[in-house]
Amino acid sequence: MRSQTFIIVGAGQAGAMAAATLRQQQFDGDIILIGKEYHAPYERPTLSKEYLTQSETEPKYLFSEEFYLKNRIDLRIGQPVSRIIPAEYCVVMENGDKLRYDKLLLTMGARARRFPLLDQLGKNVYTLRTLDDAQRLRQAVKEGKRVLIVGGGVIGLELAATSCELGASVTVIEQADNVMGRCAPPLLQHYLLNRHQEKGVQFFLDTNIVSAQKRGDELVLVLSTGETVIGDIIIYGIGAEFRDKLAVDAGLVTHGGIVIDEHCRTSEPDIFAAGDVCLQREPLTGELQHRETWENANRQATIAAHAMMGLEPPQPGAPWFWTDQWGINIQMIGKMQAENWHIKGDLQSDKAILIGTENKILVGAVAINQGREMRNLRKLLANPMTDSF
């Protein structure tokens, strides 16, 4: 029987973990892992935290060079794919080479959503999505610098804390009326806002940027409230643009991302996708949703690898993600839009659990410096029972 070839386009978290899972599940064919960046697959969560604050810290690579050699994973970095031809079961490289596949996995991830009003300022305007971005920021954020952060989501708040730790003064500008509005319950939003303010971070909430200009070495932003903020550096994080062009051009079903089923299969039966680039239907609502988390990249990589081999994929658990800010570890699991939230513990001591319920049933939880409780919370969410909180 002819040996099969599985190609993975995208050498990030999902792509590398899928390749590793294929070997763990005894796939014996050829695996080609193709990455556009000139770096082997690396961990992204550290880029906004210890990689910036500790100048001697090296990138946290997912696997060693020996791992890829030992497991016969053909890692090709710095080699972009220009198109996919599903009818011919091949991908075309930027240099014109064609690589044939039996199964194809797309894990291209996402890029930072652009903000042209800020981009036109040129120098000293940054985003953070890749290792190269982090290396540039490492040189820019210094003691005494005035850092303006546009966007009060997870990445914005992590960068606010990190920049302060490096000795910068920090201002956060957010168009919503609170921070982390898309992914955190109100109790957690208010808690984090207070903690940042206590550390000296200044916030402008419920406002937009109406003009941006350079004045000498200074960057000047005028807000819709009429206020003006001035800084030396701007870092913005206003969402993501999903790298689905290859899929669009190949005729796959997309909707601002690659649409996949519960087995990570696209509209083409032998093409799969995993990680940030994907959209999956929520079981209860049927709505298409992105899950841009480290854990989801790993989970979908595992599901896709099993499905590519014709194996029954593992059952997904409740969605989980985390953030570290000011030395506080915050882990979130389940539904963050729960109707009711209750506090167990003491938020003032930075040690508590937030319980999210609907009809007195546990549907979500937040552990603040209580990581050991996550195992129990996972079990409770997997087998919810009516209770009184």
Side-chain angles (χ1 to χ4, degrees):
M1 181 177 177
R2 181 181 66 84
S3 177
Q4 289 190 310
T5 297
F6 287 2
I7 292 179
I8 303 171
V9 178
Q13 185 85 32
M17 294 306 296
T21 302
L22 288 170
R23 289 299 185 227
Q24 289 168 3
Q25 296 301 315
Q26 308 304 311
F27 175 69
D28 197 41
D30 295 327
I31 299 174
I32 304 174
L33 176 58
I34 304 169
K36 186 175 182 179
E37 289 186 59
Y38 287 89
H39 304 286
Y42 56 87
E43 294 268 16
R44 294 186 190 273
T46 64
L47 299 182
S48 59
K49 297 181 278 290
E50 56 262 40
Y51 185 76
L52 293 184
T53 58
Q54 301 168 19
S55 60
E56 302 303 317
T57 300
E58 294 296 321
K60 189 174 181 181
Y61 292 105
L62 293 174
F63 304 108
S64 66
E65 290 183 17
E66 290 75 21
F67 174 86
Y68 297 103
L69 293 171
K70 180 180 177 182
N71 287 279
R72 295 187 295 111
I73 298 169
D74 183 0
L75 176 60
R76 304 188 185 187
I77 59 175
Q79 299 186 34
V81 171
S82 63
R83 61 193 176 109
I84 302 163
I85 309 177
E88 298 181 17
Y89 277 69
C90 78
V91 299
V92 182
M93 305 300 292
E94 200 172 68
N95 65 5
D97 290 347
K98 285 187 176 182
L99 301 177
R100 301 195 178 276
Y101 63 82
D102 293 281
K103 306 285 185 184
L104 175 64
L105 175 61
L106 305 178
T107 59
M108 293 88 67
R111 65 175 68 86
R113 183 178 298 279
R114 306 312 307 181
F115 197 154
L117 180 65
L118 299 182
D119 289 340
Q120 57 90 21
L121 296 173
K123 186 180 177 183
N124 294 328
V125 176
Y126 302 87
T127 59
L128 177 60
R129 190 82 196 186
T130 68
L131 178 56
D132 290 338
D133 293 337
Q135 289 170 344
R136 286 189 286 269
L137 270 178
R138 201 184 227 184
Q139 301 301 314
V141 181
K142 303 289 184 182
E143 185 174 358
K145 293 289 186 180
R146 295 168 296 175
V147 177
L148 307 181
I149 294 179
V150 179
V154 175
I155 191 67
L157 293 192
E158 289 181 351
L159 284 169
T162 298
S163 298
C164 280
E165 290 171 19
L166 288 167
S169 63
V170 177
T171 299
V172 175
I173 301 158
E174 167 57 46
Q175 66 178 358
D177 60 5
N178 215 318
V179 297
M180 281 178 56
R182 288 197 310 130
C183 60
L187 275 173
L188 183 59
Q189 294 173 28
H190 294 302
Y191 164 78
L192 285 171
L193 179 61
N194 289 336
R195 281 291 174 267
H196 279 267
Q197 289 175 325
E198 288 168 359
K199 296 290 187 178
V201 180
Q202 185 178 15
F203 284 84
F204 290 89
L205 302 175
D206 199 17
T207 187
N208 291 301
I209 300 169
V210 296
S211 75
Q213 58 183 304
K214 294 187 75 171
R215 192 168 62 197
D217 291 332
E218 294 182 326
L219 303 174
V220 183
L221 304 181
V222 178
L223 309 181
S224 56
T225 55
E227 295 163 296
T228 298
V229 290
I230 301 172
D232 306 302
I233 296 167
I234 294 174
I235 311 171
Y236 70 83
I238 58 169
E241 296 175 346
F242 303 99
R243 297 180 181 274
D244 62 353
K245 186 177 186 305
L246 285 174
V248 171
D249 292 346
L252 305 184
V253 173
T254 61
H255 191 74
I258 304 172
V259 178
I260 58 172
D261 66 14
E262 68 276 13
H263 290 172
C264 294
R265 185 177 281 106
T266 72
S267 54
E268 284 285 338
D270 291 316
I271 300 179
F272 300 76
D276 288 358
V277 74
C278 296
L279 282 162
Q280 214 166 18
R281 293 198 181 278
E282 289 296 297
L284 296 179
T285 66
E287 294 180 356
L288 289 170
Q289 190 172 66
H290 286 284
R291 291 200 184 280
E292 302 162 58
T293 67
W294 176 93
E295 184 257 2
N296 184 65
N298 287 340
R299 174 185 293 172
Q300 289 186 340
T302 301
I303 291 171
H306 279 74
M308 291 166 77
M309 294 178 63
L311 304 175
E312 185 64 27
Q315 288 297 311
W320 166 82
F321 67 102
W322 85 95
T323 178
D324 293 307
Q325 301 172 30
W326 301 113
I328 303 167
N329 175 253
I330 300 166
Q331 299 189 39
M332 289 157 271
I333 189 167
K335 186 177 180 181
M336 293 294 105
Q337 294 77 35
E339 294 175 0
N340 304 296
W341 286 89
H342 319 268
I343 302 173
K344 288 193 170 186
D346 180 16
L347 280 174
Q348 292 305 310
S349 68
D350 299 324
K351 197 168 186 180
I353 293 176
L354 308 183
I355 300 294
T357 63
E358 292 183 353
N359 299 318
K360 296 186 177 181
I361 296 176
L362 176 69
V363 295
V366 178
I368 301 172
N369 282 335
Q370 294 274 45
R372 291 182 179 179
E373 296 297 324
M374 289 308 296
R375 179 176 293 182
N376 290 331
L377 291 169
R378 285 181 187 275
K379 290 179 181 178
L380 289 171
L381 281 165
N383 299 285
M385 297 176 63
T386 302
D387 203 343
S388 177
F389 293 96

